[in-house]
Amino acid sequence: MTSERRARGWGLGIIAVGVAAIVALAAWQPWRSISAVDAASSSDGVSTVEPLSLPADPDVLVFGDSWTYGAAATVPTDGYAYRLGRLTGWDVTVDGVRGSGYMKPGWDGPDFRTRAKWLDPAADYDLIIIQGSINDRQQGERGYREAVDATWDVFARLYPHAQIVIFGPTPHQFPIDEGTARIDRDLQKAAADRHWWYISPLQEQWVTPANYLDVIDVGAGKRHPSDRGHAYLAERLQQALVDRSASTDAVAPAEDESAPVRP
């Protein structure tokens, strides 16, 4: 009788474990794609990131390095930041300095923080996109977070009503440099601490070994986006902003500027 009760107990225990496993799997749902809102809600303890809410004709600043400048495009105004304005119909101000970063001065101007201090305080931006930068990948980790925070403090003070999106580094070579990967992680954590949206081309695999040569000019362009690459980045960035917006009306494409490159 004791053995029979024991067997029944084992059977009930096995059933209970099985039920628990099914419940856990249903909660986990590994097949479910994670939306931008889900990712923000679960990242680094951030409870929520407010969806972007832009007026119909927003004033936008895209601030960054040589990628924002439009390097390797046939003309700089064919760079992704300018193309973003044409895609959306937004009034986009482009401020890109080649070679610059949060810690590293550029070829045509200083580091990000100093450049931010030079911005027009009378501007009334609805959205600020801060891009980059892989240029800091060899500067080391020491002092990096402090440089990032100091730069972002300038933007927040100058434009307290603007919505700010951080646009992380995009891979320019494979294998991806560890410094680039570290910057991506650091910027994601810093943005989460401020409840700001973070867009990671690295984590979202915008550039992969499969489409690398279609996106990046490895010759005269010195590993910057080609014309097709800039068009592709503009399209991906526009879609990333749509995904993070409360309404898609303000970010609907203004014209057909197709980007044939796909990851």
Side-chain angles (χ1 to χ4, degrees), residues 98-127:
R98 295 172 292 179
S100 63
Y102 287 98
M103 299 179 71
K104 186 177 179 297
W107 302 347
D108 324 285
D111 60 85
F112 279 16
R113 181 187 182 189
T114 304
R115 288 172 51 207
K117 291 180 178 179
W118 293 353
L119 292 170
D120 181 4
D124 187 19
Y125 297 117
D126 299 294
L127 174 66

mmCIF file of all heavy atoms in Angstrom, residues 98-127:
data_model
loop_
_atom_site.group_PDB
_atom_site.id
_atom_site.type_symbol
_atom_site.label_atom_id
_atom_site.label_comp_id
_atom_site.label_asym_id
_atom_site.label_seq_id
_atom_site.Cartn_x
_atom_site.Cartn_y
_atom_site.Cartn_z
ATOM 1 N N ARG A 98 33.242 64.971 -39.597
ATOM 2 C CA ARG A 98 34.029 63.771 -39.881
ATOM 3 C C ARG A 98 35.086 63.544 -38.800
ATOM 4 O O ARG A 98 35.768 64.463 -38.378
ATOM 5 C CB ARG A 98 34.701 63.899 -41.246
ATOM 6 C CG ARG A 98 33.714 63.955 -42.402
ATOM 7 C CD ARG A 98 34.384 64.277 -43.711
ATOM 8 N NE ARG A 98 34.894 65.646 -43.726
ATOM 9 C CZ ARG A 98 35.547 66.181 -44.761
ATOM 10 N NH1 ARG A 98 35.778 65.460 -45.853
ATOM 11 N NH2 ARG A 98 35.967 67.430 -44.694
ATOM 12 N N GLY A 99 35.173 62.285 -38.350
ATOM 13 C CA GLY A 99 36.186 61.901 -37.382
ATOM 14 C C GLY A 99 35.859 62.196 -35.937
ATOM 15 O O GLY A 99 36.624 61.844 -35.041
ATOM 16 N N SER A 100 34.726 62.834 -35.668
ATOM 17 C CA SER A 100 34.416 63.256 -34.300
ATOM 18 C C SER A 100 33.696 62.170 -33.521
ATOM 19 O O SER A 100 33.095 61.256 -34.081
ATOM 20 C CB SER A 100 33.568 64.533 -34.317
ATOM 21 O OG SER A 100 32.323 64.289 -34.944
ATOM 22 N N GLY A 101 33.742 62.303 -32.211
ATOM 23 C CA GLY A 101 33.048 61.391 -31.313
ATOM 24 C C GLY A 101 32.826 62.060 -29.977
ATOM 25 O O GLY A 101 33.093 63.254 -29.807
ATOM 26 N N TYR A 102 32.359 61.313 -29.008
ATOM 27 C CA TYR A 102 32.143 61.875 -27.679
ATOM 28 C C TYR A 102 33.467 62.271 -27.029
ATOM 29 O O TYR A 102 33.520 63.235 -26.253
ATOM 30 C CB TYR A 102 31.418 60.864 -26.795
ATOM 31 C CG TYR A 102 29.960 60.692 -27.140
ATOM 32 C CD1 TYR A 102 29.532 59.630 -27.935
ATOM 33 C CD2 TYR A 102 29.002 61.597 -26.688
ATOM 34 C CE1 TYR A 102 28.198 59.468 -28.262
ATOM 35 C CE2 TYR A 102 27.658 61.452 -27.011
ATOM 36 C CZ TYR A 102 27.262 60.383 -27.800
ATOM 37 O OH TYR A 102 25.933 60.239 -28.129
ATOM 38 N N MET A 103 34.514 61.538 -27.337
ATOM 39 C CA MET A 103 35.820 61.824 -26.756
ATOM 40 C C MET A 103 36.820 62.349 -27.787
ATOM 41 O O MET A 103 37.767 63.045 -27.430
ATOM 42 C CB MET A 103 36.388 60.553 -26.098
ATOM 43 C CG MET A 103 35.532 60.013 -24.971
ATOM 44 S SD MET A 103 36.206 58.501 -24.229
ATOM 45 C CE MET A 103 37.644 59.140 -23.368
ATOM 46 N N LYS A 104 36.616 62.027 -29.037
ATOM 47 C CA LYS A 104 37.607 62.307 -30.070
ATOM 48 C C LYS A 104 37.234 63.541 -30.895
ATOM 49 O O LYS A 104 36.142 63.623 -31.438
ATOM 50 C CB LYS A 104 37.729 61.095 -31.001
ATOM 51 C CG LYS A 104 38.825 61.196 -32.039
ATOM 52 C CD LYS A 104 38.897 59.907 -32.848
ATOM 53 C CE LYS A 104 39.976 60.008 -33.919
ATOM 54 N NZ LYS A 104 39.656 61.074 -34.907
ATOM 55 N N PRO A 105 38.145 64.503 -31.014
ATOM 56 C CA PRO A 105 37.901 65.633 -31.912
ATOM 57 C C PRO A 105 37.881 65.161 -33.358
ATOM 58 O O PRO A 105 38.502 64.156 -33.715
ATOM 59 C CB PRO A 105 39.102 66.563 -31.653
ATOM 60 C CG PRO A 105 39.691 66.102 -30.349
ATOM 61 C CD PRO A 105 39.414 64.637 -30.267
ATOM 62 N N GLY A 106 37.174 65.899 -34.201
ATOM 63 C CA GLY A 106 37.060 65.530 -35.606
ATOM 64 C C GLY A 106 38.050 66.254 -36.489
ATOM 65 O O GLY A 106 38.868 67.049 -36.028
ATOM 66 N N TRP A 107 37.962 65.989 -37.785
ATOM 67 C CA TRP A 107 38.836 66.645 -38.756
ATOM 68 C C TRP A 107 38.430 68.105 -38.948
ATOM 69 O O TRP A 107 39.282 68.972 -39.151
ATOM 70 C CB TRP A 107 38.763 65.938 -40.109
ATOM 71 C CG TRP A 107 39.122 64.492 -40.068
ATOM 72 C CD1 TRP A 107 39.730 63.812 -39.055
ATOM 73 C CD2 TRP A 107 38.894 63.535 -41.103
ATOM 74 N NE1 TRP A 107 39.895 62.491 -39.382
ATOM 75 C CE2 TRP A 107 39.384 62.288 -40.636
ATOM 76 C CE3 TRP A 107 38.310 63.604 -42.369
ATOM 77 C CZ2 TRP A 107 39.314 61.131 -41.407
ATOM 78 C CZ3 TRP A 107 38.243 62.452 -43.132
ATOM 79 C CH2 TRP A 107 38.746 61.225 -42.654
ATOM 80 N N ASP A 108 37.124 68.364 -38.933
ATOM 81 C CA ASP A 108 36.616 69.696 -39.245
ATOM 82 C C ASP A 108 36.011 70.385 -38.034
ATOM 83 O O ASP A 108 35.347 71.417 -38.176
ATOM 84 C CB ASP A 108 35.537 69.630 -40.340
ATOM 85 C CG ASP A 108 35.820 68.573 -41.390
ATOM 86 O OD1 ASP A 108 36.705 68.800 -42.221
ATOM 87 O OD2 ASP A 108 35.140 67.536 -41.347
ATOM 88 N N GLY A 109 36.170 69.795 -36.864
ATOM 89 C CA GLY A 109 35.548 70.373 -35.681
ATOM 90 C C GLY A 109 35.899 69.566 -34.443
ATOM 91 O O GLY A 109 36.538 68.511 -34.526
ATOM 92 N N PRO A 110 35.469 70.012 -33.284
ATOM 93 C CA PRO A 110 35.833 69.357 -32.019
ATOM 94 C C PRO A 110 34.954 68.158 -31.694
ATOM 95 O O PRO A 110 34.206 67.660 -32.527
ATOM 96 C CB PRO A 110 35.640 70.489 -31.002
ATOM 97 C CG PRO A 110 34.553 71.328 -31.593
ATOM 98 C CD PRO A 110 34.725 71.255 -33.079
ATOM 99 N N ASP A 111 35.055 67.698 -30.458
ATOM 100 C CA ASP A 111 34.292 66.551 -29.975
ATOM 101 C C ASP A 111 32.815 66.915 -29.840
ATOM 102 O O ASP A 111 32.409 68.076 -29.946
ATOM 103 C CB ASP A 111 34.845 66.093 -28.621
ATOM 104 C CG ASP A 111 34.755 67.197 -27.576
ATOM 105 O OD1 ASP A 111 33.702 67.360 -26.935
ATOM 106 O OD2 ASP A 111 35.756 67.952 -27.431
ATOM 107 N N PHE A 112 31.993 65.892 -29.600
ATOM 108 C CA PHE A 112 30.538 66.066 -29.552
ATOM 109 C C PHE A 112 30.096 67.119 -28.530
ATOM 110 O O PHE A 112 29.227 67.946 -28.809
ATOM 111 C CB PHE A 112 29.855 64.736 -29.233
ATOM 112 C CG PHE A 112 29.680 63.812 -30.402
ATOM 113 C CD1 PHE A 112 30.382 63.985 -31.580
ATOM 114 C CD2 PHE A 112 28.799 62.735 -30.323
ATOM 115 C CE1 PHE A 112 30.223 63.134 -32.655
ATOM 116 C CE2 PHE A 112 28.617 61.872 -31.396
ATOM 117 C CZ PHE A 112 29.329 62.072 -32.562
ATOM 118 N N ARG A 113 30.667 67.058 -27.319
ATOM 119 C CA ARG A 113 30.219 67.974 -26.269
ATOM 120 C C ARG A 113 30.483 69.425 -26.651
ATOM 121 O O ARG A 113 29.604 70.282 -26.506
ATOM 122 C CB ARG A 113 30.917 67.642 -24.951
ATOM 123 C CG ARG A 113 30.475 68.549 -23.792
ATOM 124 C CD ARG A 113 31.299 68.305 -22.553
ATOM 125 N NE ARG A 113 30.856 69.113 -21.434
ATOM 126 C CZ ARG A 113 31.518 69.219 -20.289
ATOM 127 N NH1 ARG A 113 32.663 68.544 -20.109
ATOM 128 N NH2 ARG A 113 31.073 69.975 -19.316
ATOM 129 N N THR A 114 31.681 69.697 -27.156
ATOM 130 C CA THR A 114 32.012 71.062 -27.550
ATOM 131 C C THR A 114 31.118 71.522 -28.692
ATOM 132 O O THR A 114 30.614 72.659 -28.692
ATOM 133 C CB THR A 114 33.484 71.156 -27.969
ATOM 134 O OG1 THR A 114 34.314 70.676 -26.905
ATOM 135 C CG2 THR A 114 33.874 72.586 -28.300
ATOM 136 N N ARG A 115 30.887 70.639 -29.652
ATOM 137 C CA ARG A 115 30.007 70.982 -30.767
ATOM 138 C C ARG A 115 28.583 71.256 -30.296
ATOM 139 O O ARG A 115 27.908 72.153 -30.807
ATOM 140 C CB ARG A 115 30.013 69.854 -31.795
ATOM 141 C CG ARG A 115 31.303 69.744 -32.595
ATOM 142 C CD ARG A 115 31.300 68.493 -33.443
ATOM 143 N NE ARG A 115 30.073 68.408 -34.237
ATOM 144 C CZ ARG A 115 29.545 67.260 -34.654
ATOM 145 N NH1 ARG A 115 30.119 66.104 -34.346
ATOM 146 N NH2 ARG A 115 28.442 67.268 -35.380
ATOM 147 N N ALA A 116 28.117 70.468 -29.327
ATOM 148 C CA ALA A 116 26.765 70.663 -28.803
ATOM 149 C C ALA A 116 26.622 72.046 -28.184
ATOM 150 O O ALA A 116 25.583 72.702 -28.318
ATOM 151 C CB ALA A 116 26.428 69.588 -27.782
ATOM 152 N N LYS A 117 27.667 72.525 -27.524
ATOM 153 C CA LYS A 117 27.622 73.848 -26.905
ATOM 154 C C LYS A 117 27.519 74.958 -27.947
ATOM 155 O O LYS A 117 27.089 76.065 -27.622
ATOM 156 C CB LYS A 117 28.870 74.061 -26.044
ATOM 157 C CG LYS A 117 28.927 73.199 -24.794
ATOM 158 C CD LYS A 117 30.203 73.472 -24.012
ATOM 159 C CE LYS A 117 30.268 72.664 -22.739
ATOM 160 N NZ LYS A 117 31.518 72.916 -21.979
ATOM 161 N N TRP A 118 27.942 74.669 -29.166
ATOM 162 C CA TRP A 118 27.907 75.670 -30.236
ATOM 163 C C TRP A 118 26.572 75.714 -30.971
ATOM 164 O O TRP A 118 26.355 76.557 -31.838
ATOM 165 C CB TRP A 118 29.018 75.383 -31.250
ATOM 166 C CG TRP A 118 30.412 75.566 -30.714
ATOM 167 C CD1 TRP A 118 30.765 76.079 -29.507
ATOM 168 C CD2 TRP A 118 31.622 75.226 -31.382
ATOM 169 N NE1 TRP A 118 32.136 76.076 -29.370
ATOM 170 C CE2 TRP A 118 32.687 75.555 -30.509
ATOM 171 C CE3 TRP A 118 31.918 74.671 -32.624
ATOM 172 C CZ2 TRP A 118 34.026 75.354 -30.853
ATOM 173 C CZ3 TRP A 118 33.255 74.468 -32.962
ATOM 174 C CH2 TRP A 118 34.294 74.805 -32.085
ATOM 175 N N LEU A 119 25.661 74.815 -30.635
ATOM 176 C CA LEU A 119 24.374 74.774 -31.323
ATOM 177 C C LEU A 119 23.542 76.017 -31.005
ATOM 178 O O LEU A 119 23.717 76.658 -29.960
ATOM 179 C CB LEU A 119 23.602 73.515 -30.918
ATOM 180 C CG LEU A 119 24.203 72.190 -31.400
ATOM 181 C CD1 LEU A 119 23.481 71.014 -30.736
ATOM 182 C CD2 LEU A 119 24.124 72.082 -32.923
ATOM 183 N N ASP A 120 22.614 76.310 -31.887
ATOM 184 C CA ASP A 120 21.765 77.497 -31.749
ATOM 185 C C ASP A 120 20.774 77.302 -30.602
ATOM 186 O O ASP A 120 19.860 76.469 -30.696
ATOM 187 C CB ASP A 120 21.017 77.738 -33.058
ATOM 188 C CG ASP A 120 20.131 78.974 -33.014
ATOM 189 O OD1 ASP A 120 20.159 79.696 -31.998
ATOM 190 O OD2 ASP A 120 19.407 79.197 -34.004
ATOM 191 N N PRO A 121 20.914 78.053 -29.526
ATOM 192 C CA PRO A 121 19.987 77.879 -28.394
ATOM 193 C C PRO A 121 18.577 78.344 -28.705
ATOM 194 O O PRO A 121 17.638 78.003 -27.984
ATOM 195 C CB PRO A 121 20.621 78.724 -27.289
ATOM 196 C CG PRO A 121 21.414 79.765 -28.017
ATOM 197 C CD PRO A 121 21.914 79.105 -29.262
ATOM 198 N N ALA A 122 18.427 79.121 -29.786
ATOM 199 C CA ALA A 122 17.099 79.621 -30.147
ATOM 200 C C ALA A 122 16.317 78.624 -30.989
ATOM 201 O O ALA A 122 15.120 78.822 -31.228
ATOM 202 C CB ALA A 122 17.229 80.938 -30.905
ATOM 203 N N ALA A 123 16.975 77.546 -31.440
ATOM 204 C CA ALA A 123 16.282 76.536 -32.233
ATOM 205 C C ALA A 123 15.226 75.841 -31.376
ATOM 206 O O ALA A 123 15.369 75.737 -30.147
ATOM 207 C CB ALA A 123 17.266 75.524 -32.778
ATOM 208 N N ASP A 124 14.194 75.373 -32.033
ATOM 209 C CA ASP A 124 13.093 74.733 -31.311
ATOM 210 C C ASP A 124 12.835 73.360 -31.940
ATOM 211 O O ASP A 124 11.852 73.157 -32.649
ATOM 212 C CB ASP A 124 11.838 75.609 -31.377
ATOM 213 C CG ASP A 124 10.710 75.082 -30.498
ATOM 214 O OD1 ASP A 124 10.994 74.279 -29.582
ATOM 215 O OD2 ASP A 124 9.548 75.462 -30.734
ATOM 216 N N TYR A 125 13.722 72.427 -31.664
ATOM 217 C CA TYR A 125 13.633 71.109 -32.277
ATOM 218 C C TYR A 125 12.574 70.258 -31.584
ATOM 219 O O TYR A 125 12.470 70.255 -30.359
ATOM 220 C CB TYR A 125 14.985 70.389 -32.214
ATOM 221 C CG TYR A 125 16.072 71.084 -32.991
ATOM 222 C CD1 TYR A 125 17.196 71.596 -32.345
ATOM 223 C CD2 TYR A 125 15.978 71.232 -34.372
ATOM 224 C CE1 TYR A 125 18.201 72.234 -33.053
ATOM 225 C CE2 TYR A 125 16.981 71.870 -35.094
ATOM 226 C CZ TYR A 125 18.084 72.368 -34.425
ATOM 227 O OH TYR A 125 19.069 73.006 -35.135
ATOM 228 N N ASP A 126 11.829 69.529 -32.389
ATOM 229 C CA ASP A 126 10.886 68.553 -31.851
ATOM 230 C C ASP A 126 11.564 67.208 -31.594
ATOM 231 O O ASP A 126 11.160 66.475 -30.691
ATOM 232 C CB ASP A 126 9.731 68.348 -32.845
ATOM 233 C CG ASP A 126 8.969 69.629 -33.099
ATOM 234 O OD1 ASP A 126 8.334 70.139 -32.161
ATOM 235 O OD2 ASP A 126 9.018 70.140 -34.251
ATOM 236 N N LEU A 127 12.558 66.912 -32.413
ATOM 237 C CA LEU A 127 13.262 65.631 -32.313
ATOM 238 C C LEU A 127 14.741 65.862 -32.558
ATOM 239 O O LEU A 127 15.119 66.575 -33.505
ATOM 240 C CB LEU A 127 12.720 64.634 -33.339
ATOM 241 C CG LEU A 127 13.447 63.294 -33.465
ATOM 242 C CD1 LEU A 127 13.301 62.478 -32.178
ATOM 243 C CD2 LEU A 127 12.926 62.499 -34.664
#
